Amino acid sequence: MGAEGPRLPTAAERRRPPVIGPGHTFATVTDKISTIVLTRPTTPGWLAGFLVSFSLMMLLFYAIGYLLLEGVGVWGINIPVGWGFAIVNFVWWIGIGHAGTLISAILLLLNQKWRTSINRFAEAMTLFAVASAGLFPLLHLGRPGLFYWLLPYPSTMGVWPQFRSPLVWDVFAVSTYFTVSLLFWFVGLIPDLATLRDRAETRAARILYGILAMGWRGSAMHWHRYQTAYLLLAGLAAPLVVSVHTVVSLDFAVGIIPGWHSTIFPPYFVAGAIYSGFAMVLTLAIPLRAAYGLEDFITMRHLENMAKVMLATGLIVAYGYAMELFMAWYSGNTYEGFTAWNRIVGPYWPAYWALILCNVVIPQLLWFKRVRTKVPVLFVLSLTVNLGMWLERFVIVVTSLHRDFLPSSWGMYTATRWDWAVFVGSMGLFLTLLFLFIRFLPMISIFEMRELVSETEAGSSD
Amino acid sequence: MIEPAAYMPGPEMNRLQWRALWIGVAVLGVCILGAFRSPAQFFHSYLLAFLFWTGMALGCLAIAMLHHLTGGSWGMVIRRLLESGSRTLPLMALLFVPLFFGRHWIYSWTRPMNLPRQQLEYLDVRFFLTRAVLYFVVWLALAHWLGKWSHEQDRTGDRRLLRKMQWLSGPGLVLYGLTGTFAAVDWMMSLEPRWYSSIFGLLIIGGQVLSAMAFVIVVLVLLTAYQPLGRVLQPRHMHNLGKLLLAFVMVWAYLSFSQLLIMWSGNLPEEIPWYLHRLEGGWRWVGVLLILFHFALPFFLLLSRDLKRTGPKLALLAMLVVVMRMVDLFWLTAPEFSPGRFHIHWMDIAAPVGMGGVWLAVFAWHLKTRPLLPVGDPYLAVVLEGEHE
């Protein structure tokens, strides 16, 4: 900006905190992030958290073992509600897994600098969430050993997947998403793995990080190719953010069950996925930045921006609910009308109203800057949205199935202790992987933060 | 602060205003003559024109609010165009009056019909009118306040106005989402009573935003032939606008395809007739046209970085999108009046052109009264300097 040019409002005037705390240099950024992995001793807090998560993961394995021995009858599913917790949890986890790729790919393409300090662990979160999600449909198959029947392989038995079924699209959508997210995450890690290799103090660590760094030397040629590859991967990953949850929504909408067969489902599921994904990133980022003193890297600006994304996507989700209700009424369709009414006042009314409270009413607080900048309040809000989004999937899955066209085949669904064990256990799996990640890999991208430092020093107002 | 006089549009805007007005009035006059021959056809074409130009104005309003919320230099260069576009809404409110009087020729539900009780309640003439008034009140209020504050900003450069516009835009977008949706239900979905689709509102809103984006790109490129915009505009501005155009093209295709896929696979008697009306007797080819020129061609061309950065090429493509928006609205409405048999009348082209002339005249009239760039906005420096994105 020229010296005589009109003065731009400073960050303070715009009441916007910076994306990186003041006074950081290349060295401090590298030190601060890499010491968490390399030199800091394992803290009691980490150990305690890891142990709890690990125990929950053991509970998951135990529950899965019992399920494999006894069959899916140990769950509460039956006719008419054949989908139950397994599908609720699947959709919930997959939804959470959307923030990572959105933050890393779409925000990268949109040139949003603030993504830098949250993308790494958001991507890791995505992978672990998708891993947790993937378990459920497999277990729900009833005969998980035959899972490969879902794939179109040249079979001598003449078994071929039904390509008109979105359940088959799911197989492709989710596995593609997982593969691309994994690649994206790993490629993003390579320069940082090289940093860790160079700074490692033990021989074992040097060898391990050295192998993972794939011979990275940081030459200009490396960087040039690296940037190209990273951008290409981002371009590939961006449509996946939309496609995966669209396909998940079609699992419901392609059928003609009242309450599922609604054209708004694809955009409203995608918005819901981003909503829950950002809620989960906040749920994780807030304790992490406190525990590791990362307030300079994950600043109020990040938290506020994420809160704004939550508000926007939450409003789209609320719009989806409103349109479903309006069309159920306007159509004059007996079954649609009944399903909507049954959700509101039927036997599952507490779930419906709790969902409205968590997803629509309470998040309206995010309109206020005072709320968006209060960290504890934001944390509670993020938990509320996580809960609300789980309830949303529960309401969609269970209320539509338990009372459909034929009153003589109505029934109720109650989760058994094994349903709960697998659900809570899947959180154990997710958290265990996450604890291992923050202990062994840099949770914030070191090299991108260094870029950010040089850009901030160059005098940009952001 | 930047000198406003340096950014005032030249005499060409005046010429545009009067030419557009005369052409518009003349063509509309011919249409009115046509109305004596076939009033039903006149109102069918009138509806198409009204939906197209109202959508254009609303799309401008929506993008302007989006810009106030997110900031960015892409919005700064088109802000005046967006404001002028949204300030044509009073004209559209006026043009709604003939539509209301012609309702019997357009909406079958104005005659006694065997419909579900809920639709009889919702599609009641008095309720219909009340809602339309409500929509226009909301839209006019939003366009008025944003236009007024922007004008004040030009004169005073007051920084608080930035926050004010931002403050209004959040709730403004929510209001636009709701009113736009219900207007789409009232004016378009109800052409086929009994049919319903929960994505329809979003689909129409997406189309409005897309038309407005394409339109302002065309106007912006035309204005670069003159000063002051000729010396301000750089390829990177066009690049950003091109990216947004691509994004909106994709959103439109995504929403349209979602509706088609879900209804096709459901194949329910209350849903599928709507598509059958649009796929039989020649209408199918209009649909094919939409796939090719409303989605495929713009999508693939807009992937090119070179095209997005070259103003004239981008404008040509944007012009195609504007035309295809009209074809899309034609495909959404006209088959209801002639199901199973393709039918196009000269007034289907004349009415939108005529109304467009009048609309453009009002647009140009608003545009020429203010500087072409928001001179009071502190971020304008970013656009002019061109060092930051």
Side-chain angles (χ1 to χ4, degrees), chain B residues 160-177:
Chain B
R160 274 171 311 179
L161 288 165
L162 265 183
R163 299 208 66 79
K164 257 182 162 175
M165 288 189 273
Q166 197 176 20
W167 173 86
L168 182 63
S169 293
L173 275 175
V174 174
L175 282 175
Y176 164 65

Side-chain angles (χ1 to χ4, degrees), chain A residues 1 6-9 13-15 246 250 253-254 261-264 266 270 319 323 327 329-333, chain B residues 118-119 122 159 163 181-182 189 196-199 202 254 258 261-262 265-266 268 270-271 378-379 381 387:
Chain A
M1 182 174 107
R7 196 177 55 93
L8 280 183
E13 266 175 9
R14 291 150 70 195
R15 295 193 285 157
T246 298
L250 293 176
V254 154
H261 184 73
S262 181
T263 47
I264 192 84
V270 171
Y319 174 90
M323 279 307 113
M327 289 301 166
W329 175 82
Y330 173 84
S331 67
N333 181 315
Chain B
Q118 292 88 338
Q119 293 199 351
Y122 186 79
R159 275 151 208 266
R163 299 208 66 79
T181 295
F182 285 102
M189 204 164 98
Y196 57 92
S197 167
S198 45
I199 205 175
L202 273 189
Y254 173 71
S258 298
L261 179 65
I262 290 169
S265 50
L268 292 174
E270 61 266 35
E271 288 178 346
Y379 294 101
E387 281 164 7

Side-chain angles (χ1 to χ4, degrees), chain A residues 17-21 289 294-303:
Chain A
V19 284
I20 184 167
R289 78 198 269 274
L294 296 171
E295 284 90 349
D296 276 356
F297 296 162
I298 304 174
T299 64
M300 274 322 296
R301 170 87 171 276
H302 296 99
L303 301 185

